[in-house]
Amino acid sequence: MDVLKWIAPILALGLDTLFMAVGLSLSGVQGRVKIALVFALAEALMPALGLLLGRTALSWLGTYGPWVGALAVIGVGVYLLFEDDDEVEGLQKKARLTGWALLFAALLISVDELAVGLSFGLAGLPLGWTVLLFGLQALLFTWLGLTFGKRLQPLLGEAAEKLGGIVLILLGLWMVWELF
């Protein structure tokens, strides 16, 4: 898999994380470092789980595995493109993210990483790099969004939120194109 095919989904999902963190910042949530670390852990472990599931599925799917992986990337892109902002709005109502609420929020925002990890597993990518890159992306984008949310929000706007979904859809289509 080319480097672009590896980095594009990580950055696209990073944009999703950034927008969520900006929303949390606007709600006045406290504990930036702790939230960034917990989100990074969840967003590193979910693609790892997906990757392991993808490898298992690859042994069952055989030559169809890359097709399923490409469709999974397109599916996550469509989800990000049309997702409702209820997830962030629900988190914004709870300005204190601690304990179980923090853990639940971290798992909630990392479900899309599970699907991308599945496609990475179907592509046969290494587990270590996947965990490291997703974790670093989540740590960086969560911290940036929580720290600079009030300044970033006017620059990002509504249309920019959908950029991550568009990138994933295009990447999935590119993956399909290369299978021919």
Side-chain angles (χ1 to χ4, degrees):
M1 184 179 249
D2 298 324
V3 173
L4 180 61
K5 289 183 192 173
W6 187 310
I7 299 298
I10 291 171
L11 291 179
L13 293 171
L15 289 174
D16 188 50
T17 302
L18 177 66
F19 295 120
M20 178 276 317
V22 166
L24 286 174
S25 171
L26 296 174
S27 74
V29 73
Q30 302 295 310
R32 288 189 312 251
V33 174
K34 183 169 82 173
I35 292 170
L37 288 172
V38 172
F39 282 8
L41 182 62
E43 291 201 26
L45 293 178
M46 288 297 256
L49 177 61
L51 191 136
L52 294 173
L53 292 171
R55 285 185 182 167
T56 303
L58 183 59
S59 68
W60 297 334
L61 296 172
T63 58
Y64 296 109
W67 289 93
V68 175
L71 292 175
V73 169
I74 292 170
V76 173
V78 169
Y79 169 75
L80 290 177
L81 193 60
F82 295 107
E83 80 177 318
D84 195 4
D85 292 334
D86 290 343
E87 179 179 295
V88 173
E89 289 172 10
L91 292 175
Q92 284 177 337
K93 291 176 185 173
K94 300 176 183 177
R96 289 185 46 102
L97 275 181
T98 58
W100 288 106
L102 176 58
L103 183 61
F104 179 72
L107 293 175
L108 183 68
I109 65 148
S110 62
V111 170
D112 41 3
E113 276 80 358
L114 178 72
V116 171
L118 177 74
S119 68
F120 276 25
L122 291 167
L125 293 176
L127 178 65
W129 280 109
T130 300
V131 170
L132 178 68
L133 291 174
F134 271 97
L136 288 175
Q137 163 273 122
L139 183 65
L140 175 68
F141 283 110
T142 302
W143 183 82
L144 285 173
L146 291 172
T147 303
F148 302 108
K150 288 179 177 65
R151 286 181 242 161
L152 289 173
Q153 200 274 337
L155 299 172
L156 298 175
E158 277 294 315
E161 279 189 57
K162 307 305 178 189
L163 181 62
I166 293 168
V167 168
L168 286 178
I169 291 169
L170 292 174
L171 177 66
L173 292 173
W174 181 17
M175 291 168 70
V176 167
W177 176 261
E178 286 194 340
L179 290 172
F180 284 111

